[in-house]
Structure formats: C-alpha cells, structure tokens
Amino acid sequence: MKGRRITQAKRQLVITLHDQGMNITEIALATGVPKSSVARICRTEEDRLPDEKKPLGRCPRCGRLVRLPCYACWLETAPESRKRAWRAAWRKLEKRAMDLVKEIQELKQAIQDALEDGRITLREAIVIAREAADVAAILLPLILGKTAAMEAESKEKE
C-alpha cells in the first residue's frame, strides 16, 4: 500500500473502528492500512474541533448546554503540548483581528475624506463600504467570537 492514497471510505472506517475502541494494530490488520497511517488518521481526527453543525445538547461531563462534543471539556482533556500550540495560534489570530479592525477604521476615514473632498461620489462610497462590510461580516464574527471565547476562558481560570 506504499505510496497510495487512502480513500475517504477507508479513512471513515478507520475512524469508526477507533471510536469503537479498537487499537491501532487491530485496525491496521482489519483494514489493510499501515499502522503509521492508522495512527495518523486517528490522531488528526482527535485533534479536530467539534462540528459546529451538530445540535445543542447537555455535556455528560460538565452539564453545559453546548454543541456536542463539549469544546470546553475537549480542551481540558487535550495534552499540554497541543494547548501551547493553540494559544500561539490564538495570539496570532488576535493580532490579525486587530490589524483588520485598524484597516477598516482607516478605510472608513479614507471614504469620509474622499467624500468631503469630492474625489468620489456617494454611490462609489456605498459600493466600497458594502464590499468592506461583506468582508467584515465574514471575518469579524469568526475572529472576535473566538477571541471572546478565549477571554472568557482565561477569566474562568483566574
């Protein structure tokens, strides 16, 4: 099987068998996928964030009303090395969010100045603002929502 891609169906089978409690060696023997690939598939599946499309429910571990599996419990059970990597990624994301907010403020000021000077018409200003709003509507909730969750989590720890 060296050098061949593992089909999505086989990946799903590996994940299903792993969820049922089989160990890596047993899964490799049952599916014909190399042990190293089975380990990689299982590891990457465990590292994924909980699915945002799943329905709300009570976490059996902490009792919170969340999208299952519970993200807070998932973070608590993660290894420390993984948590350090997440914190670094959040810091980078937060910096990018602040840069985006600054750029939006500069764009707003530039539009106002151009309108006052008569360099652009009101219609052009509206088009520019709509395009900026579309970008902001997509990015800001993703960025600010997640950083707000991180701030709430850090306040709980204190």
Side-chain angles (χ1 to χ4, degrees):
M1 188 139 186
K2 184 177 180 181
R4 293 187 180 173
R5 294 207 178 263
I6 300 167
T7 65
Q8 190 62 33
K10 250 199 191 166
R11 284 179 191 275
Q12 199 59 41
L13 177 62
V14 167
I15 293 165
T16 304
L17 294 175
H18 181 69
D19 289 344
Q20 292 175 356
M22 289 179 74
N23 66 32
I24 292 172
T25 306
E26 292 169 339
I27 296 171
L29 289 173
T31 60
V33 176
K35 285 196 299 187
S36 60
S37 297
V38 170
R40 182 177 33 78
I41 291 168
C42 294
R43 186 175 56 246
T44 55
E45 182 60 28
E46 289 170 357
D47 290 345
R48 289 199 177 134
L49 291 173
D51 188 7
E52 294 179 6
K53 295 179 182 175
K54 290 189 177 178
L56 291 174
R58 292 266 174 214
C59 174
R61 185 167 179 252
C62 66
R64 294 181 187 120
L65 182 62
V66 295
R67 295 196 188 280
L68 296 173
C70 179
Y71 183 63
C73 293
W74 183 73
L75 282 175
E76 288 171 8
T77 58
E80 191 58 38
S81 61
R82 178 61 61 190
K83 288 180 184 178
R84 281 193 300 272
W86 289 333
R87 282 187 214 113
W90 282 120
R91 282 191 293 273
K92 185 185 282 185
L93 183 63
E94 191 172 28
K95 182 185 179 310
R96 288 182 180 164
M98 300 314 327
D99 292 343
L100 181 63
V101 168
K102 186 190 288 184
E103 286 181 27
I104 289 173
Q105 290 171 343
E106 290 171 359
L107 178 63
K108 177 184 168 188
Q109 187 61 44
I111 290 172
Q112 287 175 344
D113 292 343
L115 274 173
E116 290 171 2
D117 296 345
R119 289 179 280 155
I120 62 173
T121 65
L122 184 58
R123 178 171 285 200
E124 292 169 331
I126 291 171
V127 169
I128 294 169
R130 275 191 186 152
E131 290 174 1
D134 289 343
V135 171
I138 294 168
L139 295 178
L140 286 177
L142 293 172
I143 294 169
L144 296 179
K146 292 186 180 188
T147 55
M150 289 295 289
E151 288 175 15
E153 184 180 334
S154 66
K155 286 179 184 176
E156 287 178 6
K157 290 180 182 176
E158 293 174 0

